[in-house]
Amino acid sequence: MAGCGNDDDPKPVPDAGTGTLVFAANDTGILNLTYLLAQIQAALYQKVVTTPPADFTAADTAAFVDMRDHEVIYREFYKSVLGTSVYDNGLTTALEFNFTPYTLTTRKGVYEAARTLEDLAVGAYNGLGRRLANSSYLRLLLKITSVKARHAAFVRDQAEPNSFAGSDVITPTGNEAGLDTVKTPVEVAKLLAPLVPIVLVADNLMRL
Amino acid sequence: MDFLNLLARLADLDSTSAAPQLAAPRRAALGRLGQAGTALLPGLLLSALGQPATAGALDTRTRLDVLLLVRQLAALGNELHSRALGLVPGYPALPLTAAEKAGIQVIQQQEVQRVALFSRLITDGGATLPAAPRYDFTGSRNGAQTALYPDIQTNPDTYLLVAQVVKDVAVRAYKSQVDFVRSDAYLTETMLRSHSAEARHASHLRTMRRQRGAVVKSWVSPNDAPVAAPSPAIAKVYEGESGFIQTYNASDSSGQGGPLVSVPFDSTLPINVATPPLSAEAILRKVAEAFDEPADAVIATNVAALFTY
């Protein structure tokens, strides 16, 4: 199974922790990481849409329906591009993600969870772009990155007014002042680790 | 025609983002420069043409061209927002709420930071910075023609609409420009990080407009109320944003140039997960929302030109 180093145990379960996903040092590895990000976000937003917090407004729900739809579109897009190279091709059941680090019972908690993941996605995409070999993949990645950044700014503003481009994401001083967040693949894997029931190994992507 | 605009036009004559061309376009660019009727060949352009071409890349624009463009857009944004905030003598602050002002200040300060960053990259590369342009955000070119936005210095809604348009077109232009700097990993990453910051700003301006009653999402949507286009340059800003067709060149893990594949959003992909499902038309509108489209540099420079004289 391309992109996955655990052919012996293709049935990862949330509590076993025995599965390992090794991202390959190529475009397939990169797209499997963006696929995983989209899976996680689609699952989170679906959960919010299905069971919204009591203090959610109609506008909140509409926004999360939009973001859920966008993430499902990304998920299925990446899956379509990857074909049989998609990391969960051989799994009988999809991974189940763990959202217990987040408080999904309040509006504030939901927006903070979305903020964490959208900012992470923007940083991940900004770090992955230059590692892609196929220019047409990069063009598509860029088309998605700005929508992710729009999501990020929106949910940040809802969690805390005017925080859309706060100093925790836009470098405030120095030579990189004014630039958005960037995360290496290993940093992304580490930040995703609490949410996924398998071990993520992104070291190969660092060589790209 | 100002120089930056000329560069942008030359680049766009030779390239489209949809159809990569293999021909070496620099000779053609020189030829077209002649056709454009310009006797002057600035040293800037000569040095640009002297750089090695990468086979198969859309290489009519150099890293310097790209930097000059993004610096131009950041400088324009800085002036637009500085005037709205009352930071420029002769331009009283717009009647924005304290919360609105706070958000605009964030955008304005980050524009300043990016002007400084791009200026440094340009001068570090041995090039000189262009003279600061004169701006007229009413679009009257200092009274030489009928104003496009006559109340922009007094009406926050007009100002925020123009601010949104300028940001959205910058986001689109960044996407097309990354193609021209790919050989430079540092600049590619810098462009990506600036691009997403621009998109955050655009999202915030859209959120502000929605809070003031405009029908507009924080992401570009076919469901947004159409933006009035007092000039053809404005009409181009959202042209092509409502489509659902996305294509890529299939490749093996590291190769390029495989067959063109169209993503089957309208047929086989299971993307319609709402309960009850959306109409076929409605789900494709969501696809259009999910992808921001690139635009050639000239689309952005033509918008900038409306406000520059």
Side-chain angles (χ1 to χ4, degrees):
Chain A
M1 178 162 39
C4 182
N6 182 37
D7 288 355
D8 295 328
D9 181 13
K11 192 177 63 65
V13 288
D15 61 346
T18 52
T20 300
L21 171 53
V22 179
F23 296 98
N26 52 38
D27 285 357
T28 297
I30 292 172
L31 295 185
N32 265 304
L33 182 53
T34 53
Y35 171 64
L36 177 67
L37 275 164
Q39 280 185 310
I40 292 169
Q41 291 193 269
L44 177 71
Y45 297 159
Q46 182 60 61
K47 197 176 167 77
V48 171
V49 168
T50 305
T51 316
D55 52 349
F56 239 35
T57 66
D60 293 327
T61 301
F64 272 82
V65 166
D66 267 4
M67 294 194 295
R68 186 271 319 270
D69 286 339
H70 299 164
E71 297 301 334
V72 167
I73 287 162
Y74 300 145
R75 184 187 72 200
E76 297 305 321
F77 158 69
Y78 286 124
K79 190 172 179 177
S80 164
V81 175
L82 284 163
T84 55
S85 299
V86 74
Y87 82 87
D88 54 5
N89 192 38
L91 301 185
T92 49
T93 53
L95 294 187
E96 205 171 305
F97 302 110
N98 169 35
F99 295 123
T100 55
Y102 305 132
T103 303
L104 300 181
T105 49
T106 65
R107 180 182 187 276
K108 184 174 163 55
V110 163
Y111 274 109
E112 286 171 352
R115 174 177 67 186
T116 300
L117 284 179
E118 293 291 354
D119 282 339
L120 172 55
V122 170
Y125 276 52
N126 282 346
L128 290 170
R130 70 175 172 84
R131 300 171 198 269
L132 278 168
N134 184 327
S135 296
S136 67
Y137 293 166
L138 175 58
R139 287 187 200 114
L140 281 160
L141 194 86
L142 282 166
K143 293 183 184 200
I144 295 173
T145 304
S146 55
V147 179
K148 303 294 295 165
R150 291 173 189 272
H151 286 178
F154 168 73
V155 297
R156 290 178 65 89
D157 274 344
Q158 301 308 307
E160 188 188 336
N162 281 329
S163 69
F164 59 100
S167 59
D168 55 327
V169 283
I170 307 291
T171 307
T173 55
N175 281 344
E176 297 185 349
L179 296 181
D180 208 332
T181 179
V182 59
K183 296 262 184 277
T184 69
V186 164
E187 287 172 329
V188 174
K190 191 177 173 190
L191 289 163
L192 290 178
L195 309 180
V196 295
I198 52 174
V199 176
L200 304 176
V201 181
D203 299 45
N204 290 332
L205 299 182
M206 302 297 284
R207 309 205 316 257
L208 298 174
Chain B
M1 189 187 304
D2 71 86
F3 177 56
L4 288 174
N5 202 348
L6 176 63
L7 280 179
R9 284 178 183 281
L10 282 170
D12 294 338
L13 282 173
D14 269 313
S15 66
T16 70
S17 52
Q21 297 170 359
L22 295 175
R26 291 169 192 284
R27 191 182 306 267
L30 272 175
R32 303 246 167 112
L33 189 62
Q35 290 166 22
T38 299
L40 186 67
L41 252 189
L44 189 63
L45 183 58
L46 285 172
S47 68
L49 291 165
Q51 296 198 356
T54 307
L58 299 174
D59 54 2
T60 49
R61 291 174 67 81
T62 66
R63 287 172 290 186
L64 180 56
D65 297 334
V66 170
L67 285 168
L68 287 168
L69 173 70
V70 292
R71 181 183 179 276
Q72 178 192 14
L73 295 175
L76 181 130
N78 175 34
E79 186 70 16
L80 174 66
H81 300 303
S82 293
R83 288 187 187 185
L85 291 167
L87 302 177
V88 179
Y91 298 92
L94 284 170
L96 298 160
T97 67
E100 288 171 334
K101 266 184 196 158
I104 297 299
Q105 276 165 354
V106 171
I107 296 176
Q108 185 263 329
Q109 285 160 8
Q110 292 179 359
E111 299 282 29
V112 170
Q113 290 169 339
R114 280 181 299 167
V115 170
L117 170 65
F118 297 136
S119 297
R120 196 172 64 243
L121 292 175
I122 289 167
T123 53
D124 283 357
T128 50
L129 300 176
R134 292 167 299 181
Y135 298 102
D136 175 0
F137 293 105
T138 69
S140 82
R141 296 183 190 276
N142 200 30
Q145 62 186 46
T146 308
L148 305 172
Y149 301 102
D151 61 350
I152 192 166
Q153 291 304 146
T154 52
N155 184 343
D157 292 317
T158 304
Y159 152 70
L160 289 170
L161 174 66
V162 170
Q164 174 195 309
V165 166
V166 168
K167 277 294 175 191
D168 281 340
V169 81
V171 170
R172 295 191 67 175
Y174 264 86
K175 294 177 199 299
S176 68
Q177 299 310 293
V178 170
D179 270 346
F180 304 110
V181 301
R182 281 213 68 192
S183 60
D184 182 333
Y186 166 78
L187 191 50
T188 298
E189 195 165 285
T190 300
M191 287 287 288
L192 262 55
R193 295 173 67 187
S194 191
H195 163 250
S196 60
E198 287 285 77
R200 286 180 192 266
H201 293 178
S203 172
H204 180 74
L205 290 163
R206 286 169 159 268
T207 302
M208 282 177 73
R209 292 191 63 232
R210 187 169 65 252
Q211 287 166 346
R212 298 177 67 96
V215 178
V216 61
K217 294 186 180 186
S218 300
W219 28 92
V220 181
S221 172
N223 292 355
D224 291 344
V227 169
S231 145
I234 301 293
K236 292 273 187 194
V237 170
Y238 296 104
E239 199 173 274
E241 276 285 14
S242 295
F244 65 86
I245 294 172
Q246 297 297 338
T247 61
Y248 61 93
N249 291 101
S251 67
D252 60 20
S253 57
S254 59
Q256 297 205 21
L260 194 66
V261 178
S262 184
V263 183
F265 287 123
D266 59 341
S267 54
T268 55
L269 292 195
I271 54 174
N272 198 343
V273 298
T275 313
L278 299 176
S279 69
E281 198 257 343
I283 188 65
L284 292 177
R285 283 172 169 254
K286 295 293 184 93
V287 174
E289 282 180 6
F291 295 87
D292 279 345
E293 298 301 315
D296 287 336
V298 70
I299 305 293
T301 52
N302 280 349
V303 170
L306 294 178
F307 306 116
T308 314
Y309 70 95

